[in-house]
Amino acid sequence: MTTTYNPFRDMDRLFNQVARTVANDGRSMPMDLYRNGDVFTVKMDLPGVDPASIDIDVDDRVLTVRAERAAEHVGTDDEKNGWVSRERTWGTYARQISLGSGLDLASIQANYTDGVLTLTIPVAEEAKPRKIAVTTAPVIDAAKVQA
């Protein structure tokens, strides 16, 4: 059976492998985002992060979350003590989210509990749907006006 030569197949395979490695290097912040009424909720997994290292800011409608997990040092200089396996990552983590218009950026709240950062982002009052009342003007009878 013959196969068609594709000079980009190996390059594409390599690119996909690198992309998967970068995405799964353990430094990602898995995130859930949902809306409940007039509030958007973002939940990010940040296990083992010191809450004091979490930095959240909004600049030009871009929300940035940064956090740091410190490296652990174990054992001594003795060869009998030390790491046997080390898979948990450490270092600085960062994630950015573009925020659309219609959100109340001044009222964003953050809570860190059990390794999960929860952000609540309310919808701005001016962006909430509202009903507009229809008024009517009294009908003027032209015959009565001329009399």
Side-chain angles (χ1 to χ4, degrees):
M1 182 165 113
T2 61
T3 58
T4 307
Y5 174 67
N6 181 349
F8 299 103
R9 180 180 23 219
D10 290 335
M11 194 175 350
D12 187 47
R13 197 175 295 150
L14 177 64
F15 175 77
N16 287 334
Q17 183 180 7
V18 169
R20 276 193 307 273
T21 302
V22 169
N24 295 324
D25 74 346
R27 286 203 186 192
S28 63
M29 286 186 201
M31 175 184 81
D32 291 336
L33 170 64
Y34 60 90
R35 182 175 181 168
N36 189 4
D38 292 335
V39 176
F40 286 92
T41 301
V42 178
K43 291 191 175 196
M44 295 181 172
D45 287 347
L46 291 171
V49 167
D50 178 9
S53 77
I54 299 173
D55 180 44
I56 304 167
D57 61 61
V58 177
D59 184 17
D60 196 23
R61 305 200 85 64
V62 175
L63 180 120
T64 303
V65 177
R66 286 183 200 83
E68 187 172 340
R69 182 167 40 206
E72 292 182 47
H73 300 285
V74 298
T76 63
D77 292 334
D78 183 359
E79 290 182 15
K80 294 180 183 177
N81 298 314
W83 293 105
V84 174
S85 176
R86 188 169 189 179
E87 296 179 359
R88 296 172 56 232
T89 60
W90 52 271
T92 302
Y93 301 77
R95 178 118 190 212
Q96 291 186 318
I97 303 170
S98 295
L99 302 175
S101 60
L103 298 175
D104 186 357
L105 304 182
S107 299
I108 295 175
Q109 295 181 354
N111 180 33
Y112 182 71
T113 305
D114 296 332
V116 178
L117 176 66
T118 302
L119 303 169
T120 54
I121 308 168
V123 174
E125 283 298 321
E126 62 270 6
K128 292 179 183 177
R130 58 194 166 279
K131 295 284 185 183
I132 298 173
V134 177
T135 59
T136 59
V139 177
I140 300 174
D141 187 1
K144 289 183 181 178
V145 172
Q146 291 181 5

